[in-house]
Structure formats: structure tokens, C-alpha cells
Amino acid sequence: MGFMVDTQQEGGEHHQWSCIRNLVRRKQVDSSNGKAEHQLAKALTFPHLIAVGVGSTIGAGVYILVGTVAREHSGPALAFSFLIAGVSAALSAFCYAELSSRFPSAGSAYHYSYICIGEGVAWLIGWALILEYTIGGSTVARGISPNLAMIFGGEDCLPAILARHQIPGLDIVVDPCAAVLVFVVTGLLCIGVKESTFAQGIITTVNVFVMIFVIVAGSYLCFKTGWAGYQLPSGYFPYGVDGMLAGSATVFFAYIGFDSVASMAEEVKNPQRDLPLGIGLSLLLCCLLYMMVSVVIVGLVPYYAMDPDTPISSAFATHGIQWAAYLIALGAIMALSSTLMGSILPQPRILMAMARDGLLPSFFSDVNQRTQVPVKGTISTGFCAALLAFFMDVSQLAGMVSVGTLVAFTMVAVSVLILRYVPPDEVPLPSSLQERICSAPFLRGEENSSSHVGTSISSKQPLLFEPGDSTVEKKEASWGWVLSKENRRKFAGWSIMFICIGNFLISYAASSLLFPGLLRYSLCGVGGFLLLFGLIVLSCIDQDDARHSFGHSGGFICPLVPLLPILCILINMYLLVNLGAGTWARVSVWLFIGVLVYVFYGRRHSSLANAFYVTTAHADEIGRNSGYSLA
């Protein structure tokens, strides 16, 4: 037919742009395509998600972080720092809640980015998340043995087979206990997702009860002593409001973990209801616990007298409750164990999602028929994490964990904007259907196709198109302009790009204190103009009607769009810029390796390598006529 052109006839122009098209090609909402051998168990309910969310979020950081932040940044206003950080994290949580209920498949931010943005960005996010979860799990595992030694009475009291040892002649301290714990958690995760989340729920419950003990017993002591920590001449904000905000940026990372709930989306029985509730309530519970512990600990002792390493146990010790140190050490062990499970649990699912899409070997997409768990990916993840935990003190690499998380948060917020204003209007189909579709009687018209095109069809040629479908002009109420659907999508697309650039310029200028004042103000001015322009445009034009039917309907809807996602992007970009040059240098090496893997393997083996695209309006009709499932 006249509107279908074979790739071999497209000439040099096609080959010139094929690499760029590879980076922006987008996949269908459900990537598993209904293959039974790739299906995970639909076994999780709302309580399981709360266990995963709270267990992955509340780590031992709360037992240590409160002392450092109170001493150096917030003072008695520590609870406000946790509140502001919690509100900031909630912005990302709202975006995750909508996307996870719309696209309930494994892969979390990688999956959403592949659907809304494109293959290139999705690959980098998936690759960064692999680094995040591996290093995060190793760091957590190495933190368990010192706390475990405290329970046994000291570092020298651990059995020799579990105690740390330095290799003679090398500056390497091996930690057998950390490796053993990783292997134990890996084995538990291989048994089944319902069993492992039940175990995580028990561990998390113990940790929460320890924190409740700290709150109740600490409040009693504070009332007894008159809340001495707040009666200071320096006032409630000894470092000013700026110090409190700096403390918020530090404790923001204590809320990272609710994205683990989103990664379990494919295993949830009722994702449209349970995923938003699981993400929202787990974050709310963590914020309340953090704030109440902060209020109590700052009231027990003055902020400047806090022990930066063991703030909670030392605060109780100053009031003569020495035995509380053992209970708090138990809480830290439970928190670390739960966080370790939360670090290893999502990675096999991300590996599986990437393997389903052909970007990684199919080895990682195998799901055990009996346990319905990606056992091969889980064992591979556990082995790498155990190896790192055994040989390396990876605490200096901890900043690399934040890069993966913040980049994922940023792209999830961008995906919400794309979903609302420029949702994908084309569906990829396998090349095997091309001949049948070309001869199908329902194909009509030779209008220009919109946006991006797959590798099997010329961008100059029409796809399946009903005359008049997208040419109906619509009057925008806010501006009074007459905009066609195509023009409105162009306005929205450029506005989203301006918003991202503006947010980056503002974040970079605000963080580059060594720059001359004129340069900083100029960058802020340009960034602020782009951001404001994009916000005004998105606020004045209507959201795309296709958003109602794109993905699974009936789930959570993110409020205050476009303002909320824009604030989310700004906060996450500011935190990314402030991670430091050393962290970015190390992450760049990992991302460069990822680019090589994609160029030499993922790009060629992608499931979309030979796909062609049809307009969404005709996708269902094609499915009925060709017998191909588009779900």
C-alpha cells in the first residue's frame, strides 16, 4: 500500500536518524505481553505493601541521623526538618502513586519512563537503579555487624567466623557477617514474595515497637525533667531557618524507600486501590515516627550535647537508663535487616523488566514456575551484594545510591506531565503483523503521522489514520486561541522541556556559590523565566483527553498538576546538583559502562528493534482484525 514503506528503501536519511529514534521509541503499557512464563504471583495485599514501604524506608539512619542533623543544622527544630523533608518526599510519592496504579507492572521508574519518555532515558534509569540497590544493600549489610556485636557485648564477642578481619598486607577488612546476612535474605526472597514480605512485616513490627518505646519512655522522661532540651537561650532555631532547611535536605534521604512499593506493582492483587494506599500510608507513618522521635530526643538533651554516633541510646544513658542501649541496638538491627530486604527485593524485578524488553539477556526474565519469583535475578543480585559487602567498605560510595533515586524521582515527575499533556498517541506492533495490516480493509488515509515512528516505517509516510481524527480544532477557554490537537501537544511538549531546563538552571545557580554574583543571578533569571513560561502555558491549555484511556483507569490521580510535578522536579534537581563532584565522577563511570552495554547489546536486542507504530485510535481495531493482543 502507498503509505507503508520498507526500511531498505528509505535511503540515508533513515539510517542517519535511526539511532535517535532508538532512544525515543516507547513501549506499550504492559510489557509482559501476557506470557505465562514471565508472570509473577498476584499475592500481595495492602498490609504487605505497608510492610515493604515502612521496612524499606525506616533504616538505622533514624538512630544515627537525628544526632548529626540536630548538632550541625537544625537544633531543636529537628522535627520541622523531618516534616519539610516528608512533604518534599510526598510530592514524588503522589507521582509514583498515579503511575503505579496506571501501569502496574514490574520495573517502577524504568517502566514508567519507557512508556512515557523513551528507551534511552529508561535504560539509564534502570542502569542507575541497579547500582542504587546493589550498593545500598551492601552498605546496609555492613552496618549490621557492629550493632549485632553490641548485643553480644562488644566487637570482640562475636564468633570468629562472623567477626570482621583484616587481610594481612592489604587494606581490606572482610565482613563475613554481612555476606551471610545477604545470603540469608536472598534465600528468603527466593521462597516466595508473600512469605518474604510476611517476614519483613514481622521485622518491621519489632522495629516500630522499639521506636514507640523510645517515644513513650522518652516523653515520660521529658515531662519529668521539664523538656530541658528546648529551654535554651539560643532559641528554637539556633542556626536560623537556613539551617533547618539544610537539615531537611539531609534527612530527605531517610524517606527513600517507598519506590520499593511501586516496584512490586505486578504482584499486587488490586493495584489500583492498594498501591496508592501503600505508598501514601507508609510514607505518612514513617514521617510521624521520625517527627515524634525527633521531638522526644531533642527534648531529652540539648542539641549541642548529643552524641553524633549513638544519639538515642546516649540520651537515655544520661538519664540513668543504660539497658535501653541494648533495646535500641535491637531496633537498629531490625531496621537494617528490613532495609536490606527492601534493597534486594526490587532489583530482580527491574532486571526482569529490562530483560522482558530485550535490553538485558533473557536469563533475568525467567520466573520460577513454583514460587513465581525471578529466582535467577534474585540470586544474581544477592551474590553481587554479598561480594561487595564481604570485601568492601562501601560507605564512601553511599552518595551513588542517592543519584539513582533522585534521577528516578525526577523522571517519574516528568512522566506525569507527559501523561497528562502529551500521552503517547502511537502503539508499537511487531513487524510480523506489518504485511497483514497493509492488506487490511480498515486501513485508510495517507495523512502525516505524529511524533515518533518505529524503525520499520518512514517518518514521512502516514500510519493508520482516520481523516479528521486529529484535525478537529478546539477553542481553549483560557486563552481564547483556536488550537488544533497537534498544536496543543507541541505547545505542551516544548513547555515541559522549558520547565526541565529552567529547573536545572535555577538549581545549578543556587548551588554554585563560587560563581560571580552576576552570573548566578543571570542563570537564575533565565531559569526562572523558562520555568514560569512553561508553568503558565501548561496551566492555560487543557490536559489531553487521551489521558483518561491511557493505561489502567480507576486508580489514583495526582493532584495539582502541573504545579506539584514541577515542584518535585525542582527539589530533586537541587538535591542532585548538591551531591558533589566526586559522587558524580563515580556515577559517570557506571553510566558510561551502561551506555556501552546498551550500544552493543540492548539497542540491537530490544523488543522494539523491528517494531512499527500505529495510531492509538486504530490500535484496538487492528487487534481485532489481526488477532493480536495489544494489552
Side-chain angles (χ1 to χ4, degrees):
M1 297 181 67
F3 62 91
M4 303 288 275
V5 177
D6 187 78
T7 56
Q8 294 179 354
Q9 300 175 351
E10 292 179 23
E13 183 178 350
H14 167 78
H15 296 289
Q16 180 181 358
W17 295 102
S18 60
C19 292
I20 297 177
R21 289 178 186 163
N22 290 344
L23 298 178
V24 297
R25 59 191 178 193
R26 298 181 286 197
K27 67 173 183 178
Q28 294 174 223
V29 171
D30 296 313
S31 59
S32 61
N33 291 329
K35 295 179 181 177
E37 65 270 19
H38 290 166
Q39 293 300 306
L40 301 174
K42 291 276 188 183
L44 301 183
T45 58
F46 173 63
H48 295 106
L49 298 181
I50 294 292
V52 172
V54 176
S56 301
T57 303
I58 298 184
V62 68
Y63 297 97
I64 301 170
L65 201 60
V66 291
T68 303
V69 175
R71 283 173 61 96
E72 300 178 3
H73 300 292
S74 301
L78 178 63
F80 283 108
S81 292
F82 273 106
L83 175 61
I84 294 172
V87 172
S88 302
L91 300 180
S92 295
F94 280 127
C95 297
Y96 265 96
E98 172 164 351
L99 295 181
S100 62
S101 60
R102 276 188 182 270
F103 316 129
S105 185
S108 187
Y110 158 80
H111 180 63
Y112 313 145
S113 300
Y114 206 163
I115 293 172
C116 297
I117 302 175
E119 186 172 283
V121 171
W123 166 264
L124 288 179
I125 289 178
W127 193 251
L129 290 177
I130 291 172
L131 178 72
E132 172 197 338
Y133 289 124
T134 303
I135 292 183
S138 304
T139 306
V140 168
R142 292 228 17 150
I144 294 179
S145 52
N147 289 279
L148 192 62
M150 188 181 297
I151 296 290
F152 282 92
E155 187 175 346
D156 299 330
C157 298
L158 271 179
I161 195 173
L162 295 178
R164 292 182 175 179
H165 302 281
Q166 182 167 356
I167 298 178
L170 297 174
D171 189 21
I172 296 177
V173 178
V174 298
D175 193 337
C177 181
V180 168
L181 287 169
V182 172
F183 282 128
V184 170
V185 168
T186 303
L188 182 61
L189 294 177
C190 289
I191 294 174
V193 66
K194 192 172 185 179
E195 292 78 7
S196 60
T197 51
F198 178 75
Q200 188 174 20
I202 294 175
I203 296 172
T204 302
T205 302
V206 174
N207 180 30
V208 169
F209 274 114
V210 171
M211 295 185 73
I212 291 174
F213 163 79
V214 170
I215 295 167
V216 174
S219 298
Y220 170 76
L221 292 175
C222 284
F223 280 112
K224 191 175 179 181
T225 58
W227 300 85
Y230 292 103
Q231 299 175 2
L232 302 172
S234 56
Y236 203 70
F237 298 90
Y239 298 102
V241 176
D242 291 339
M244 182 194 67
L245 295 176
S248 298
T250 304
V251 301
F252 174 84
F253 299 102
Y255 288 98
I256 291 175
F258 60 82
D259 53 330
S260 297
V261 177
S263 69
M264 309 298 295
E266 197 171 319
E267 294 154 283
V268 180
K269 292 181 178 178
N270 188 352
Q272 277 70 43
R273 183 197 67 186
D274 291 347
L275 281 169
L277 285 175
I279 292 172
L281 290 184
S282 59
L283 185 63
L284 177 62
L285 180 58
C286 292
C287 185
L288 291 176
L289 288 172
Y290 283 152
M291 289 182 64
M292 288 189 289
V293 169
S294 301
V295 168
V296 168
I297 296 305
V298 173
L300 281 175
V301 293
Y303 70 93
Y304 53 79
M306 280 189 178
D307 188 327
D309 298 320
T310 56
I312 298 180
S313 55
S314 60
F316 279 90
T318 58
H319 289 78
I321 308 179
Q322 298 287 347
W323 56 267
Y326 292 97
L327 186 61
I328 292 166
L330 175 64
I333 292 171
M334 294 295 104
L336 282 167
S337 300
S338 183
T339 305
L340 177 59
M341 294 184 68
S343 296
I344 297 179
L345 183 66
Q347 181 167 324
R349 283 135 183 96
I350 292 174
L351 292 172
M352 183 188 70
M354 297 175 76
R356 280 175 174 175
D357 299 326
L359 303 183
L360 288 178
S362 58
F363 170 86
F364 295 107
S365 64
D366 291 341
V367 175
N368 185 277
Q369 300 249 337
R370 186 177 62 85
T371 62
Q372 291 184 279
V373 169
V375 173
K376 293 179 181 178
T378 302
I379 292 175
S380 301
T381 299
F383 179 78
C384 293
L387 204 62
L388 280 176
F390 183 75
F391 284 108
M392 290 181 61
D393 182 8
V394 290
S395 58
Q396 67 269 23
L397 304 179
M400 298 172 72
V401 175
S402 304
V403 172
T405 301
L406 291 174
V407 169
F409 284 6
T410 303
M411 290 301 108
V412 165
V414 173
S415 296
V416 169
L417 291 177
I418 292 174
L419 171 65
R420 295 296 190 90
Y421 291 96
V422 279
D425 57 353
E426 296 171 344
V427 176
L429 294 178
S431 57
S432 59
L433 291 178
Q434 180 171 339
E435 185 176 346
R436 277 188 286 171
I437 291 177
C438 284
S439 60
F442 56 85
L443 300 181
R444 329 177 178 106
E446 295 198 7
E447 305 289 342
N448 288 330
S449 65
S450 58
S451 65
H452 92 257
V453 181
T455 57
S456 293
I457 296 182
S458 168
S459 60
K460 294 183 178 180
Q461 298 300 324
L463 296 176
L464 313 177
F465 200 88
E466 183 73 28
D469 278 355
S470 64
T471 58
V472 178
E473 294 187 342
K474 178 179 181 180
K475 186 172 183 179
E476 301 291 344
S478 302
W479 285 4
W481 290 4
V482 177
L483 290 177
S484 67
K485 178 181 178 182
E486 182 181 356
N487 288 333
R488 185 191 52 74
R489 288 173 63 91
K490 286 181 180 179
F491 270 106
W494 281 102
S495 299
I496 293 172
M497 188 180 73
F498 288 154
I499 285 168
C500 294
I501 295 173
N503 277 329
F504 175 76
L505 291 177
I506 292 173
S507 302
Y508 190 72
S511 305
S512 303
L513 300 179
L514 299 180
F515 281 8
L518 180 61
L519 179 59
R520 291 184 64 200
Y521 294 140
S522 299
L523 287 175
C524 279
V526 173
F529 172 78
L530 292 175
L531 176 59
L532 187 60
F533 175 80
L535 176 60
I536 290 174
V537 171
L538 292 185
S539 300
C540 290
I541 64 177
D542 287 343
Q543 297 182 25
D544 199 294
D545 292 335
R547 73 188 188 278
H548 298 299
S549 57
F550 190 72
H552 297 259
S553 58
F556 179 81
I557 300 298
C558 180
L560 301 177
V561 176
L563 181 61
L564 189 148
I566 291 174
L567 288 176
C568 179
I569 296 170
L570 179 61
I571 291 170
N572 292 322
M573 280 191 174
Y574 177 77
L575 294 173
L576 275 170
V577 170
N578 281 278
L579 286 177
T583 296
W584 276 108
R586 289 189 286 267
V587 170
S588 298
V589 174
W590 175 254
L591 293 180
F592 178 73
I593 296 172
V595 170
L596 294 179
V597 174
Y598 175 75
V599 169
F600 291 105
Y601 183 88
R603 179 176 61 90
R604 300 178 180 180
H605 292 82
S606 171
S607 59
L608 301 181
N610 296 313
F612 66 100
Y613 289 79
V614 298
T615 55
T616 308
H618 294 88
D620 293 334
E621 189 175 356
I622 292 169
R624 289 192 301 269
N625 282 269
S626 64
Y628 176 76
S629 174
L630 297 171

